[in-house]
Each structure stands twice: as C-alpha cells, then as structure tokens.
Amino acid sequence: MIESNPPLLHHYGTLVRNPSNLVQVDQQRHIGGLVPAEECQLPLIDLHGLKIPDTRESLECARAICRASSEWGFFQVLNHGISPELLQSMRREQLKLFAAPFERKATCGLLNNSYRWGTPTATRPTQYSWSEAFHIPVTKISEEASYGEDFGSLRGVMEEFAAAMSNLANLLAGILANNLGHRKESLEDICDSSTCFLRLNRYPACPISPEMFGLVPHTDSDFLTILCQDQVGGLQLMKDSKWVAVKPNPDALIVNIGDLFQAWSNDVYKSVEHKVMANEKMERYSIAYFMCPSYDSLIGSCSSTSPEPSSVYRKFTFREYRNQIQQDVQKLGHKVGLSRFLLQ
C-alpha cells in the first residue's frame, strides 16, 4: 500500500530519543495537552446585518466585529457570502489532494512546491507540529503546471474559493479600519489578493495524542485570517490567561486578528495566541486565508480612536517582520513577534 501520511512519528521519535529532551516531553504532557481546556463559544456575528449600509442593524453588526476583535481577537461569522456548495467542493478537492502518496506531495512540485510537514526547525518535542499543509500564494493558484494530471479540477475551485475569501477579508478589514477612523479601502491599498496566501491543512490522527500539538502555539503574522474548519475540533486560543477550546460550528467561518493588525491599530485589536491539539483517532482538515501586505509595505500604528495616541510600535515593513521571525526561530526555536518592535 502506498503511504500518503508523512513520516511524522519517525521524525518526532528522533526528537524524543534525544536524552536532553526527555524533561521537555514530560513537561508537555502535563502542560501542553493533558490538562483539558474549557470549551468556549466564540462571539458569533451574523453578517446579514451588513446588507443595507447605515442602518441600525449594520452599525450594530460593525460594532460587534470591532468589539470581538478587541476583546477576543477571534470571532465567528454567519451569512458570510461563501456558498455551502463552494465549501463542499473545496473540501472534496482538499481530501483528494492530501490522499496523494507522500512522495508525490513532497517531491513533485504540487501547488507551486508549497508542501510542508512537521516542523523541520524543531529541536525539541514542544516545537513539533503533527500536521501537513500546502501554503500557496494566491497569485500562484492559477498556474496550471502546479497541479499535474490528477488535480485539474482543484485549480478552478481554489480560484473561486480564494476570490470569495478575499472579498470577505476586505469587507471585515474595511469595517475594522473604519472603526479606527480610516477609510474602508485603506487596507486594500496594501493588502490586495496578490500578496495573500491560502493554506490547506491536514492533521493526521496521532497515536501519541493528547500530548501532541497539531500546530504549536503561535500568533498569525498577517493582518487578518479567515478559517474554514471541519467538525473534529482541536483549535484552542488563549483567553484570560488560560487555554480555551473552540467549539466547531458547521455554519460559521472563524476570523482572527493577526500581528500586523494589532500593530496597525496601536493595540486596539488583539492578535491572540492559539494552537491546534492533535486527535488520537480522527484526522482534521482546515483551510486558512491569510490577508497579508506586500513585503515592502510599511506597518505603522495609525489608530485615531483616542486623542493624540502615542505609538506602541516602531514602524517596520512586512519583510523586516518576517525576517525577524525567521531569525528568532533559528536562534531560539520559536517566534517572538511584536515585542521585538515595541518603542518602550
């Protein structure tokens, strides 16, 4: 039988067998996974209220989006404009793609050679992610050569899906920008679809769950992320200094604020740490759309919600931010993030 799973257990085993990591494994069992997280219901916002601008319903909906972005950094949206048929088509194509033999995914240049698995930079078990993914720039989705003979239908579905996610991201970002006193189009000027990414995730069933991360704790290095997930669960976020588990909602998409929006909003909106816990018996699928600026776009605090606000962060480009993250991961084994750019 041809194996479609990446050799996660073998790779993880080499980390565990390192004597210097045995304490790390024991700590992860007690801190990372075995302590059950309380289940939470994220703020649920019906975007139908935005259909008619400048009405009481639309204003209340916009306020709910901004409040959730400040208090939670995460929220769910209903009536988001992406049809159930498109979501189902994307899911079918995703299942087919990940069912391909591992060697083909890893060596044949599928989806702009964007396949990745595990955590190549991990030196300790606590840095390892039990997952595989395709992380593709939206501009590369249309390149026919990236799909091969077996995945011709994937391209059209991904193009339609990415366009729909882009429209939703622009809508939400516009509301959040307007709340800061800026025109709704201000983020579209630096975050058009050519600078954004689509990530297809698969979290295989993990025989060493629940101590295993499907995705290690992190914040997103973008402006805005929109997530479409299945009903398996496993997503957790930090709320009031403790981990809480997000209950899946089959009718909703999840939206979360990224580091760049936190900096751009001068800490009005919050980029919240989150993670995925592996499941012992069930595989999990999700698709994330990342709203990113061009690499040379300057990120500066621009909130005008308070009189003469002082900037929390120095100005930096997205390229500078990404480079700093890469340096920290190489030296420290983990991302440091926005604290590197604080003025005080």
Side-chain angles (χ1 to χ4, degrees), residues 2 17 62 88 102 107 133 137 169 177 235 268 279 297 300 319 343-344:
I2 298 176
R17 285 191 292 271
Q88 291 168 6
F102 168 70
T107 63
L235 177 63
V268 172
N279 188 294
S297 294
R319 187 187 306 277
L343 281 174
Q344 293 102 1

Side-chain angles (χ1 to χ4, degrees), residues 273-286:
E273 190 175 27
H274 53 285
K275 64 183 179 181
V276 175
M277 299 308 299
N279 188 294
E280 183 178 5
K281 297 180 179 180
M282 300 179 68
E283 60 183 2
R284 176 181 183 267
Y285 290 88
S286 68

Side-chain angles (χ1 to χ4, degrees), residues 54-290:
D54 300 321
T55 62
R56 182 177 59 85
E57 289 80 5
S58 67
L59 294 175
E60 288 180 353
C61 185
R63 279 195 292 267
I65 290 169
C66 298
R67 183 169 57 252
S69 298
S70 297
E71 297 177 358
W72 283 78
F74 270 77
F75 57 94
Q76 299 176 101
V77 291
L78 298 172
N79 290 309
H80 40 67
I82 303 176
S83 71
E85 293 77 18
L86 178 56
L87 293 173
Q88 291 168 6
S89 295
M90 190 67 239
R91 174 66 188 275
R92 284 194 298 269
E93 295 292 343
Q94 184 180 14
L95 292 173
K96 180 181 177 183
L97 177 65
F98 280 110
F102 168 70
E103 288 299 325
R104 184 175 182 191
K105 290 182 288 190
T107 63
C108 292
L110 289 173
L111 273 64
N112 194 49
N113 199 33
S114 62
Y115 180 70
R116 55 192 66 183
W117 61 276
T119 310
T121 58
T123 58
R124 302 193 300 269
T126 51
Q127 299 168 351
Y128 200 74
S129 293
W130 192 274
S131 57
E132 59 177 332
F134 288 89
H135 190 89
I136 182 170
V138 170
T139 52
K140 300 296 184 180
I141 291 175
S142 61
E143 294 185 0
E144 189 172 353
S146 293
Y147 295 87
E149 297 179 357
D150 297 333
F151 304 106
S153 58
L154 173 60
R155 183 178 63 146
V157 175
M158 281 187 68
E159 286 179 325
E160 185 180 356
F161 184 82
M165 293 289 253
S166 176
N167 290 338
L168 178 57
N170 287 334
L171 172 66
L172 297 171
I175 290 169
L176 293 167
N178 188 61
N179 181 58
L180 299 174
H182 296 269
R183 60 188 181 90
K184 292 184 176 182
E185 298 79 16
S186 54
L187 282 184
E188 290 186 43
D189 295 341
I190 59 174
C191 293
D192 62 38
S193 60
S194 67
T195 62
C196 299
F197 292 82
L198 199 64
R199 183 182 177 101
L200 281 62
N201 299 303
R202 176 179 175 261
Y203 303 89
C206 177
I208 52 178
S209 175
E211 68 217 40
M212 192 70 225
F213 295 127
L215 194 60
V216 296
H218 67 286
T219 58
D220 289 352
S221 306
D222 62 352
F223 269 96
L224 195 72
T225 304
I226 304 175
L227 181 74
C228 172
Q229 64 167 350
D230 62 20
Q231 301 306 297
V232 172
L235 177 63
Q236 298 183 11
L237 60 93
M238 186 65 71
K239 176 64 173 170
D240 299 328
S241 301
K242 65 179 181 180
W243 289 108
V244 294
V246 176
K247 183 178 181 180
N249 184 324
D251 300 315
L253 298 179
I254 293 175
V255 182
N256 67 278
I257 300 298
D259 296 344
L260 303 186
F261 224 144
Q262 177 168 327
W264 197 74
S265 71
N266 215 29
D267 278 356
V268 172
Y269 306 135
K270 301 298 189 290
S271 179
V272 174
E273 190 175 27
H274 53 285
K275 64 183 179 181
V276 175
M277 299 308 299
N279 188 294
E280 183 178 5
K281 297 180 179 180
M282 300 179 68
E283 60 183 2
R284 176 181 183 267
Y285 290 88
S286 68
I287 308 173
Y289 179 89
F290 298 97

